[in-house]
Amino acid sequence: MIIELRNLSKSFKDVVAVDDVSLGVERGEFLTMLGPSGCGKTTTLRMVGGFEHPDRGSIILDGEDITDKPPYERPLNVMFQDFALFPHMTVSANIGYGLRFGKSRTRNADKVVRDALAMIHLEDKANQKPHQLSIGQRQRVALARALVRQPKVLLLDEPLSALDAKLRDSMQIELKHLQRETGLTFVMVTHDQSEAMVMSDRIIVMKAGRIVQIGTPDDLYDKPINPYVADFFGASNLVVGTVDEPEAEFDVIRYGEARFQVNRNGVQHRPGNQVTIAIRPERIRVLTANMPPIAGHQNEFNGTVTEQLFHGNAAHLVVDVGGDKPITIHQLLHSAGSRRELPEAGSNITMVLESTAIVVFPDDSTKTLP
């Protein structure tokens, strides 16, 4: 473990920004802190970087307590969302700036800079100024500048927020590739769930200064601990159903006209209680005559399509099943013209859903719906 945060807390006047946060970061992993604005993720990152001092708790980096050390004495580096490049310096000078001072000072700085330029594929831009580069190129320069000092940890504060959607997708892959290539520990802050899923080994979901859940992207997507995580981490149908009389190894939950058999997973819910369930929209399939069978236990239920929304490679169907709110289905379109095969608004359809695709939260979860 390279970083340990022990009971870290920070307040600004009457606002508690970080509330008793403890976590460990493994050496060489890509860890992301995810959550909405004001959840405490950026304040936590700034405390690790030395830009804020905790009110309570300690920060251990590679076995050393660095809680009271200033930023320039910490063996880590920060890549800010605005890149913070010197506008009057060339690309080479920006990358090599940190090699002129302190423990990072080196006699072979020119070679280190040339190697860094090759790593980010900007050898031909060495003598240009930041304003002559694209946003994506400036980001790569900022990353190279952070990496040449060979920090033990690289902190990234919303590193892709300034990029457009297409460039952001390509830079996600590039950033993850560089992290694996260098073997460095990356700790990133973002509010973008898709970005976190693509790049991270583990993700920390935060709310109101506290950690709600830590896990791999698969864990958080398939096994959210509560409705907040299910709602924030990927699209989800979150509805309140009523527990019916159980059947054999299944519990039964009614929502509107739909009746779902769900796996107990060691928890049996009391009939008559209301519970929140989460169903990912892509896990629901419209039953057709030529559809291949689904593995595992199937739930079939009916509804009426109220909207068909086209998204290029997919369509979203909004379906009324008689509950308090409709259910959304995501249907991938595999070929040109396949949209014409989708049911139109007003159509009555039968849907199929595996029992394992339904997440049931505790009986008191209806009080914490987002």
Side-chain angles (χ1 to χ4, degrees):
M1 190 175 297
I2 194 166
I3 297 177
E4 287 184 77
L5 305 186
R6 299 175 180 171
N7 307 109
L8 216 58
S9 296
K10 179 68 178 179
S11 297
F12 298 98
K13 295 184 178 179
D14 297 330
V15 178
V16 179
V18 178
D19 188 6
D20 197 35
V21 165
S22 296
L23 64 92
V25 183
E26 298 296 331
R27 192 181 304 273
E29 82 169 324
F30 198 129
L31 182 81
T32 297
M33 289 185 281
L34 176 70
S37 298
C39 73
K41 59 188 187 298
T42 298
T43 301
T44 301
L45 191 82
R46 288 179 61 82
M47 286 192 284
V48 175
F51 303 103
E52 299 285 354
H53 193 275
D55 299 331
R56 292 181 303 280
S58 56
I59 302 164
I60 311 300
L61 178 59
D62 207 12
E64 179 187 4
D65 190 330
I66 62 167
T67 310
D68 298 321
K69 284 196 170 187
Y72 56 85
E73 290 186 6
R74 301 185 182 205
L76 48 77
N77 219 332
V78 184
M79 181 175 167
F80 297 101
Q81 57 183 309
D82 61 358
F83 309 146
L85 299 177
F86 297 110
H88 62 289
M89 291 185 180
T90 65
V91 166
S92 288
N94 265 286
I95 293 173
Y97 182 78
L99 300 176
R100 296 161 49 189
F101 307 101
K103 295 180 181 178
S104 299
R105 189 171 183 175
T106 178
R107 292 182 179 179
N108 63 340
D110 289 345
K111 181 181 184 307
V112 173
V113 170
R114 286 197 301 272
D115 290 345
L117 284 166
M119 177 183 69
I120 60 173
H121 310 295
L122 289 179
E123 299 99 314
D124 58 333
K125 307 292 184 183
N127 296 315
Q128 293 191 5
K129 301 286 181 66
H131 74 271
Q132 297 174 290
L133 305 179
S134 68
I135 291 178
Q137 289 170 335
R138 292 201 294 272
Q139 187 203 44
R140 279 186 270 167
V141 173
L143 181 63
R145 183 179 64 180
L147 293 177
V148 293
R149 294 182 61 192
Q150 297 183 320
K152 291 183 178 180
V153 177
L154 181 61
L155 308 178
L156 301 105
D157 180 18
E158 300 274 6
L160 308 180
S161 61
L163 309 182
D164 61 49
K166 187 174 182 180
L167 185 56
R168 189 182 304 124
D169 288 344
S170 64
M171 287 307 298
Q172 287 172 4
I173 298 170
E174 191 162 342
L175 198 56
K176 181 61 180 175
H177 173 73
L178 283 171
Q179 188 266 337
R180 285 177 175 165
E181 195 174 68
T182 60
L184 278 178
T185 304
F186 279 25
V187 179
M188 181 176 75
V189 158
T190 185
H191 64 275
D192 188 319
Q193 54 183 270
S194 174
E195 187 172 293
M197 281 194 280
V198 168
M199 300 168 68
S200 311
D201 297 315
R202 285 192 304 150
I203 298 170
I204 298 170
V205 180
M206 297 187 70
K207 178 183 180 182
R210 286 182 169 269
I211 294 173
V212 181
Q213 187 173 357
I214 303 176
T216 65
D218 287 355
D219 287 339
L220 296 180
Y221 193 79
D222 293 328
K223 303 171 186 175
I225 197 171
N226 61 22
Y228 172 79
V229 177
D231 183 63
F232 190 82
F233 199 76
S236 193
N237 291 296
L238 279 173
V239 298
V240 177
T242 303
V243 180
D244 210 338
E245 292 297 328
E247 294 182 1
E249 72 270 29
F250 295 103
D251 274 346
V252 177
I253 297 174
R254 290 187 179 275
Y255 176 67
E257 300 300 319
R259 186 173 179 275
F260 301 118
Q261 290 180 318
V262 299
N263 292 355
R264 289 203 182 101
N265 296 322
V267 179
Q268 188 167 358
H269 299 278
R270 185 176 300 174
N273 280 8
Q274 288 194 315
V275 293
T276 302
I277 62 174
I279 304 171
R280 297 296 184 186
E282 73 277 7
R283 303 282 167 84
I284 306 171
R285 299 173 65 182
V286 177
L287 185 63
T288 59
N290 58 352
M291 190 178 78
I294 294 177
H297 183 81
Q298 299 181 25
N299 286 294
E300 288 189 14
F301 59 107
N302 301 316
T304 302
V305 177
T306 60
E307 298 279 354
Q308 186 202 94
L309 308 173
F310 181 59
H311 289 264
N313 66 337
H316 295 177
L317 301 177
V318 182
V319 184
D320 180 10
V321 298
D324 294 334
K325 57 183 181 180
I327 283 177
T328 301
I329 306 174
H330 293 182
Q331 294 278 109
L332 285 177
L333 304 178
H334 299 287
S335 60
S338 58
R339 183 189 177 193
R340 292 193 295 269
E341 300 173 9
L342 292 173
E344 298 286 345
S347 302
N348 294 318
I349 61 172
T350 299
M351 293 152 283
V352 182
L353 175 67
E354 293 180 46
S355 59
T356 54
I358 305 170
V359 180
V360 185
F361 298 111
D363 292 359
D364 61 353
S365 61
T366 56
K367 301 174 185 176
T368 59
L369 273 174

